[in-house]
Amino acid sequence: MACRCLWLAIIGAILAILLVPQEAKANAFCQADQPTLDFGSALTARGTINWTCTNFDPTPVAFTLCAAIGTPSYPGTPQQPKMIGSSPIFLDFNVYVDSAGNELWDSSTLLTANVAIAANGRTSGTFTYYGRIPPGQAAPPGSYSAFFYNTLIGILTTGTSICQRNAPDFSGIDVTLSVRATLIEACTLGTIGDIDFGELAGFRDQIDAAGSVQLVCPPNRGWTLSFDGGRHAAGTERRMQDADGNLVPYRLYRDAARTDTFAIDGSVTGAGTGAAQTVPVYGPVEIGALPPVGQYSDFVVVTLGF
């Protein structure tokens, strides 16, 4: 009787071992690199998330892969992420899903890709995003950085707008998106407003028009804006030319009263404020005789020194 009980106990132990469930494994698993948005010394940047998905199932699978931006590091908020410098000084920036900077990549917007994987296969792809630093911020030169923690690479389930890391037969991953920028003592040219004299329908001694040059420099950074003679200058005179080679002289001035001339290679100086500054340019055409009918133009090179 004792031997019979021992045999039953051994059988029970074997059954117990055989009945222990194995750990469940997702049929599709996606992983990604740790992405970076590196502005360098520019105000715009482009970044990517490189992902790879593997199908462990003997049948093909298809799903929508999604990327949800994570929580921004201090002192940033979902509404306004910020990089932090060593002072500490903060630098605002934004991340977009489009290169034109029209649609923010935020908690309400996902990056998505339709993924199809063959049986026991693997596929890879890339999510692309874009960064912009608004100009005119009073941040000193130096290195700045930020992070988006728990940026999610997951699956967009049917009928929802929620990016999920884990779902039936799917497993995703969290990554940290790093952001960095280096501000240098640099100035940049912005919008240049052309001087358009319009149409001359009859004889007039002078036609007035105005344009402008926009620039951005760090606070208190000295700058110099100079204007060359254009393509058709002769001596000290700038001239416009038509397709037949006819010429019309014109001048450039610093002031609306047109008393302070921008000579050829003449310049104007100033100091940066950290915000956009506009330098007006005034240009009369002085006509001694009515020129032949035609379209006259010239191109003046504007040089920003700092």
Side-chain angles (χ1 to χ4, degrees):
M1 185 68 178
C3 291
R4 185 176 182 183
C5 291
L6 178 60
W7 180 78
L8 289 174
I10 294 172
I11 294 296
I14 293 173
L15 289 174
I17 293 172
L18 293 176
L19 293 176
V20 172
Q22 295 184 350
E23 182 180 354
K25 187 175 184 180
N27 291 340
F29 171 67
C30 294
Q31 54 188 343
D33 60 7
Q34 297 294 324
T36 299
L37 182 61
D38 189 354
F39 287 93
S41 59
L43 296 180
T44 59
R46 174 181 177 273
T48 58
I49 300 175
N50 300 311
W51 51 264
T52 298
C53 294
T54 303
N55 178 21
F56 296 99
D57 200 88
T59 59
V61 295
F63 53 89
T64 299
L65 189 69
C66 51
I69 198 166
T71 303
S73 56
Y74 175 84
T77 66
Q79 293 74 31
Q80 182 55 74
K82 297 176 182 286
M83 285 181 274
I84 187 170
S86 58
S87 299
I89 297 294
F90 307 130
L91 186 65
D92 292 352
F93 72 100
N94 291 296
V95 185
Y96 297 87
V97 300
D98 63 315
S99 59
N102 293 322
E103 186 175 8
L104 287 169
W105 185 22
D106 55 19
S107 58
S108 63
T109 305
L110 301 174
L111 302 176
T112 60
N114 294 322
V115 177
I117 314 176
N120 298 310
R122 175 179 295 178
T123 189
S124 299
T126 300
F127 287 126
T128 303
Y129 50 91
Y130 305 86
R132 288 176 179 259
I133 299 174
Q137 300 184 62
S143 298
Y144 294 79
S145 62
F147 302 92
F148 288 93
Y149 301 110
N150 299 319
T151 295
L152 171 63
I153 309 301
I155 187 172
L156 188 65
T157 53
T158 304
T160 74
S161 58
I162 300 174
C163 192
Q164 296 179 302
R165 175 176 175 177
N166 297 307
D169 299 326
F170 177 88
S171 179
I173 192 172
D174 287 338
V175 297
T176 297
L177 169 57
S178 302
V179 184
R180 56 177 178 254
T182 301
L183 292 188
I184 60 176
E185 288 279 2
C187 300
T188 57
L189 279 174
T191 302
I192 296 180
D194 295 337
I195 299 175
D196 187 353
F197 293 104
E199 295 183 358
L200 176 61
F203 181 77
R204 280 181 286 173
D205 291 335
Q206 180 171 305
I207 307 171
D208 291 330
S212 62
V213 178
Q214 189 181 80
L215 59 93
V216 178
C217 281
N220 303 316
R221 177 69 175 182
W223 53 261
T224 301
L225 203 63
S226 60
F227 302 79
D228 78 352
R231 296 182 178 179
H232 315 293
T236 61
E237 186 177 67
R238 292 184 177 92
R239 302 182 299 179
M240 292 182 287
Q241 181 174 288
D242 71 357
D244 296 324
N246 298 304
L247 298 164
V248 172
Y250 68 96
R251 298 178 185 271
L252 298 180
Y253 289 89
R254 295 178 172 87
D255 60 326
R258 292 165 173 80
T259 59
D260 191 2
T261 307
F262 272 122
I264 291 178
D265 295 324
S267 62
V268 60
T269 61
T273 63
Q277 296 172 273
T278 300
V279 177
V281 182
Y282 302 91
V285 171
E286 298 171 348
I287 301 174
L290 193 64
V293 173
Q295 184 172 357
Y296 294 79
S297 64
D298 192 19
F299 296 90
V300 175
V301 175
V302 179
T303 302
L304 175 61
F306 51 90

